[in-house]
Amino acid sequence: MIGNDRVVVVLPAYNAEKTLERTIREIDSRIVDEIICVDDASMDNTLNIAKNLDLKTFHHPENKGYGGNQKTCYQAALDESADIIIMLHPDYQYTPKLIPAMAHLIHTQLYDIVLGSRILTGGAIRGGMPVYKYIGNRILTLIENMLLRQKLSEYHTGYRAFHRRVLETLPVLENSDDFVFDNEMLAQAFLFGFRVGEISCPARYDNESSSINFRRSVLYGWGVLWTSVRYRLQRMELFRFRIFNPNGKKLRLKSHGNNDVAPS
């Protein structure tokens, strides 16, 4: 807890048996009040490891995708009365040691959302990011900044902190269940006027780090571009899209409302 703010870390997990425990060991328990792990029908021992680590664990009997996993994560965090929610990949690609800094930036009300950027340090490739992904990241970020009229160093990090009012306000249930969920959420945040900040984050890539293949990366790229185009059309009041509708489907504050998801 920071002041009166309850801090909850959410882990969208899929086949993370080799890195989950290492990730948990580096989470500062003096700051974090609760750790929630959502297992997205992993094919390895992720679920049992999460239980043995005494995490608050949820299980998807069927894989719901990266975006679908996050929806469960954020709903569970709101149900735990979280004030500050930090989404961290349990594959140890991002260091948990930045959690206190990110949480404090939210607590002090400097930002509503804080992103851990792999680009600000200039060490993404040194950390092992594939060159084609780095190039794609830079091209997509340039286009997004132009269409969204922002100046972020990257939109594609999986390390994010939110104030609860962001999750209560955005119609995130209108978003994709796939990887483009992250981009849609940022576009929504900018449209709804939330303040987004960044912090330098070293990243590591090895055989244990989760990654999508080239084909999925291309599909993700098209999804990112379409999200940015929809944002600009919405801003110009030429079209209206469900993901930007303030009355769209939002997370509920007291229950999951999903019979397929239950604590494990």
Side-chain angles (χ1 to χ4, degrees), residues 50-123:
K51 291 179 180 178
N52 291 336
L53 290 171
D54 201 28
L55 306 181
K56 190 173 185 65
T57 305
F58 294 82
H59 174 62
H60 290 162
E62 297 180 358
N63 187 278
K64 292 184 178 294
Y66 176 61
N69 192 323
Q70 283 192 69
K71 292 172 185 179
T72 301
C73 284
Y74 298 141
Q75 181 63 72
L78 292 180
D79 288 348
E80 287 294 317
S81 301
D83 298 296
I84 298 170
I85 300 93
I86 299 175
M87 190 268 284
L88 171 66
H89 289 187
D91 63 354
Y92 205 67
Q93 183 182 133
Y94 305 93
T95 173
K97 294 179 180 179
L98 285 176
I99 288 173
M102 297 173 75
H104 273 93
L105 287 171
I106 302 293
H107 169 71
T108 55
Q109 301 184 35
L110 289 174
Y111 299 106
D112 304 301
I113 301 171
V114 175
L115 308 177
S117 171
R118 300 162 293 180
I119 304 301
L120 286 174
T121 61

Side-chain angles (χ1 to χ4, degrees), residues 111-163:
Y111 299 106
D112 304 301
I113 301 171
V114 175
L115 308 177
S117 171
R118 300 162 293 180
I119 304 301
L120 286 174
T121 61
I125 292 181
R126 288 196 305 272
M129 179 184 283
V131 173
Y132 80 88
K133 289 193 175 184
Y134 179 82
I135 295 173
N137 184 308
R138 306 317 303 133
I139 293 173
L140 288 175
T141 295
L142 174 63
I143 295 172
E144 288 174 282
N145 277 332
M146 292 173 60
L147 291 174
L148 274 64
R149 309 285 171 85
Q150 301 296 329
K151 294 182 179 181
L152 291 184
S153 67
E154 75 158 323
Y155 289 77
H156 316 291
T157 175
Y159 202 179
R160 301 170 177 227
F162 306 90
H163 193 279

Side-chain angles (χ1 to χ4, degrees), residues 11 13 16-27 29 33-38 45-57 90-91 264:
L11 308 172
E17 66 175 8
K18 295 180 180 179
T19 55
L20 180 57
E21 184 173 0
R22 190 179 353 169
T23 300
I24 298 302
R25 282 202 306 264
E26 290 192 11
I27 294 177
S29 60
D33 298 283
E34 185 81 71
I35 302 173
I36 296 171
C37 180
V38 178
N45 202 35
T46 297
L47 180 59
N48 289 330
I49 292 174
K51 291 179 180 178
N52 291 336
L53 290 171
D54 201 28
L55 306 181
K56 190 173 185 65
T57 305
D91 63 354
S264 297

Side-chain angles (χ1 to χ4, degrees), residues 152-241:
L152 291 184
S153 67
E154 75 158 323
Y155 289 77
H156 316 291
T157 175
Y159 202 179
R160 301 170 177 227
F162 306 90
H163 193 279
R164 70 173 290 116
R165 62 177 165 266
V166 175
L167 301 182
E168 291 173 343
T169 302
L170 300 184
V172 298
L173 297 184
E174 300 287 359
N175 293 352
S176 169
D177 285 341
D178 210 338
F179 288 98
V180 77
F181 173 92
D182 277 348
N183 254 255
E184 291 175 334
M185 196 171 182
L186 279 180
Q188 290 172 326
F190 284 126
L191 192 75
F192 282 67
F194 288 111
R195 299 161 299 168
V196 181
E198 296 181 282
I199 186 171
S200 297
C201 175
R204 56 183 288 279
Y205 292 80
D206 56 28
N207 293 333
E208 297 170 355
S209 300
S210 62
S211 183
I212 58 177
N213 59 33
F214 181 77
R215 177 180 173 276
R216 294 291 299 278
S217 295
V218 171
L219 292 176
Y220 168 75
W222 283 115
V224 167
L225 294 176
W226 176 230
T227 299
S228 300
V229 168
R230 283 183 291 171
Y231 175 93
R232 180 49 43 200
L233 292 174
Q234 180 89 17
R235 276 290 193 193
M236 295 171 67
E237 299 185 352
L238 296 176
F239 290 92
R240 295 186 183 277
F241 299 94

